[in-house]
């Protein structure tokens, strides 16, 4: 055996070892991500609560997956991600298994005379059809999800969202005068329970379990209206209106932010959405309209005071033995 043959065999051996190691690491990484996808929702089932007893849906340390889904759209996104991830895992395992088999079965030591085979019709048909079928399997639920996200019919209410450098403006369409700005609370003014770079002075207040349509635009540059737990993600573009709907599953506090780099204070555009039970939302809206009639912005976190009062009243009635009547849902806001 000449020097060139020895070098080629050594290179082939080193390449085989390297491919085995890299495949092992890729499988380990993909396995960890898949495990996180399954375990994360169970870990994040409990949320901290504010003074009004509302769960706080905010990012947590070492979060390895999406925030727990709190709307139909985000549940679809979460399911779709896991579905594709399992398909990816199957493909990687198949390719890794074939690669390992080829390395062991057809290495230079066991096959000193290389095969001269260049084509195999059956194998070529299989590796063309199987990826095509996988793409179709992924395409069908993806298309359904696109149609789901495009269904803006019959909303309970519409809120116009306007991005500015560097704050948000919320205009409750159909409710005269309820139009206010929302700024991040400066770090040196944070109060107990507020979250740095996420809490705002005037949160967007909406009812839970009702279809809300956001009409999103910008007053200056490109922004992005992004609330991960609700599956809301739309660019705010000057001169254009883009729509996104959501239906929040339960009362709570939901956080997001502008994730489009829109200038040096881009990180000062957090989004805080408060989802209230219908009765409390109607009470808040009445107060907000009264404030607007006086030329005032709705008081900071007034919803918390009202929610605490409602909870105390309910507790008093319950303790006195008086049965609580269920509220009749009011008409939609047009």
């Amino acid at each position: 055996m000449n020097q060139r043959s020895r070098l080629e065999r050594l290179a082939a051996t080193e390449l085989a070892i390297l491919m085995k190691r890299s495949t092992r690491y890729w499988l380990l990484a993909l396995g960890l991500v898949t495990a996180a996808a399954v375990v994360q929702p169970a870990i994040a089932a409990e949320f901290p609560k504010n003074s009004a007893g509302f769960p706080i849906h905010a990012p947590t340390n070492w979060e390895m997956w999406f925030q727990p889904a709190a709307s139909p759209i985000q549940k679809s996104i979460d399911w779709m991600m896991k579905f594709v991830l399992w398909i990816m895992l199957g493909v990687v395992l198949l390719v890794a298994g074939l690669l390992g088999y080829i390395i062991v079965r057809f290495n230079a030591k066991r096959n000193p005379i290389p095969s001269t085979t260049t084509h195999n019709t059956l194998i070529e048909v299989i590796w063309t059809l199987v990826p095509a079928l996988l793409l179709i399997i992924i395409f069908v639920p993806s298309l359904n999800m696109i149609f789901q996200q495009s269904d803006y019919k019959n909303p309970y209410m519409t809120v116009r969202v306007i991005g500015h450098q560097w704050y948000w403006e919320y205009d409750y369409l159909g409710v005269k005068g309820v139009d206010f700005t929302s700024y991040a609370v400066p770090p040196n003014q944070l109060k107990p329970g507020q979250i740095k770079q996420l809490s705002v002075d005037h949160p967007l207040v909406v009812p839970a379990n009702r279809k809300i349509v956001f009409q999103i635009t910008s007053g200056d540059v490109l922004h992005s209206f992004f609330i991960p737990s609700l599956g809301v993600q739309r660019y705010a573009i000057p001169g254009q209106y883009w729509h996104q709907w959501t239906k929040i599953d339960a009362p709570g506090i939901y956080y997001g932010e502008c994730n489009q780099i829109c200038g040096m204070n881009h990180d000062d555009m957090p989004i805080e959405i408060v989802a209230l039970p219908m009765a409390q939302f109607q009470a808040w809206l009445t107060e907000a309209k009264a404030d607007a009639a006086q030329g005032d912005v709705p008081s900071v976190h007034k919803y918390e005071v009202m929610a605490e009062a409602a909870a105390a009243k309910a507790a008093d009635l319950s303790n006195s033995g008086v049965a609580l009547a269920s509220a009749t849902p009011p008409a939609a806001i047009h």
Side-chain angles (χ1 to χ4, degrees):
M1 182 182 297
N2 58 31
Q3 182 70 14
R4 181 176 178 179
S5 298
R6 284 196 295 271
L7 290 175
E8 288 177 350
R9 179 171 294 184
L10 180 61
T13 303
E14 292 294 331
L15 179 61
I17 295 172
L18 180 61
M19 293 178 73
K20 284 183 179 179
R21 289 178 178 175
S22 62
T23 301
R24 188 184 308 131
Y25 294 143
W26 276 110
L27 287 173
L28 178 61
L30 191 57
L32 288 174
V33 173
T34 306
V38 175
V39 175
Q40 182 67 28
I43 295 176
E46 293 295 328
F47 299 98
K49 296 183 179 180
N50 66 359
S51 61
F54 294 137
I56 299 174
H57 297 252
T60 58
N61 293 332
W62 299 99
E63 199 166 36
M64 296 182 65
W65 193 249
F66 298 138
Q67 293 182 28
S71 74
I73 288 180
Q74 182 57 29
K75 288 177 180 176
S76 297
I77 294 172
D78 191 88
W79 178 89
M80 187 68 194
M81 183 65 178
K82 293 176 182 176
F83 177 67
V84 174
L85 193 61
W86 281 114
I87 292 176
M88 289 173 55
L89 181 61
V91 171
V92 170
L93 289 175
L94 175 62
V95 173
L98 291 174
L99 186 61
Y101 175 76
I102 291 169
I103 291 172
V104 174
R105 176 67 180 80
F106 299 102
N107 59 57
K109 185 177 180 180
R110 299 186 64 174
N111 296 271
I113 301 175
S115 171
T116 58
T117 302
T118 57
H119 293 282
N120 185 300
T121 303
L122 178 61
I123 292 177
E124 291 179 357
V125 170
I126 290 174
W127 74 37
T128 301
L129 288 181
V130 171
L133 290 174
L134 289 178
L135 289 176
I136 293 173
I137 291 172
I138 294 172
F139 168 76
V140 173
S142 298
L143 188 63
N144 289 335
M145 191 164 62
I146 291 173
F147 278 109
Q148 179 191 22
Q149 293 183 4
S150 302
D151 180 16
Y152 308 122
K153 297 177 181 177
N154 305 317
Y156 172 78
M157 63 184 295
T158 301
V159 179
R160 180 173 293 164
V161 178
I162 306 172
H164 299 275
Q165 289 182 310
W166 288 272
Y167 61 94
W168 294 101
E169 179 183 352
Y170 302 122
D171 183 3
Y172 289 65
L173 301 183
V175 184
K176 185 178 179 180
V178 182
D179 180 347
F180 55 87
T181 57
S182 179
Y183 286 84
V185 177
N188 60 352
Q189 298 178 21
L190 287 172
K191 297 178 180 178
Q194 292 185 327
I195 305 174
K196 184 179 179 181
Q197 298 301 117
L198 286 179
S199 293
V200 301
D201 56 359
H202 296 101
L204 174 62
V205 182
V206 298
N209 294 306
R210 290 293 188 276
K211 188 175 185 177
I212 312 297
V213 170
F214 299 114
Q215 191 183 94
I216 303 166
T217 187
S218 171
D220 36 55
V221 300
L222 286 177
H223 299 284
S224 179
F225 193 66
F226 174 54
I227 306 97
S229 60
L230 302 182
V232 174
Q233 162 74 76
R234 279 291 183 273
Y235 282 120
I237 303 173
Q240 298 184 24
Y241 287 100
W242 292 84
H243 294 80
Q244 174 76 73
W245 72 272
T246 192
K247 184 178 180 182
I248 304 175
D249 291 340
I253 316 299
Y254 301 85
Y255 289 99
E257 60 185 349
C258 172
N259 64 353
Q260 172 72 30
I261 299 177
C262 55
M264 65 178 183
N265 292 330
H266 149 72
D267 61 333
D268 284 337
M269 291 189 67
I271 302 162
E272 182 177 352
I273 294 182
V274 178
L276 297 178
M278 180 53 69
Q280 292 181 26
F281 172 74
Q282 288 292 325
W284 175 87
L285 192 61
T286 299
E287 294 275 355
K289 288 191 286 188
D291 290 335
Q294 299 295 323
D296 299 326
V297 176
S299 300
V300 177
H301 295 290
K302 181 182 291 185
Y303 70 88
E304 291 185 355
V305 177
M306 298 171 67
E308 290 168 358
K313 183 178 179 181
D316 290 340
L317 291 174
S318 178
N319 292 334
S320 63
V322 178
L324 298 177
S326 60
T328 302
I333 297 175
H334 300 294

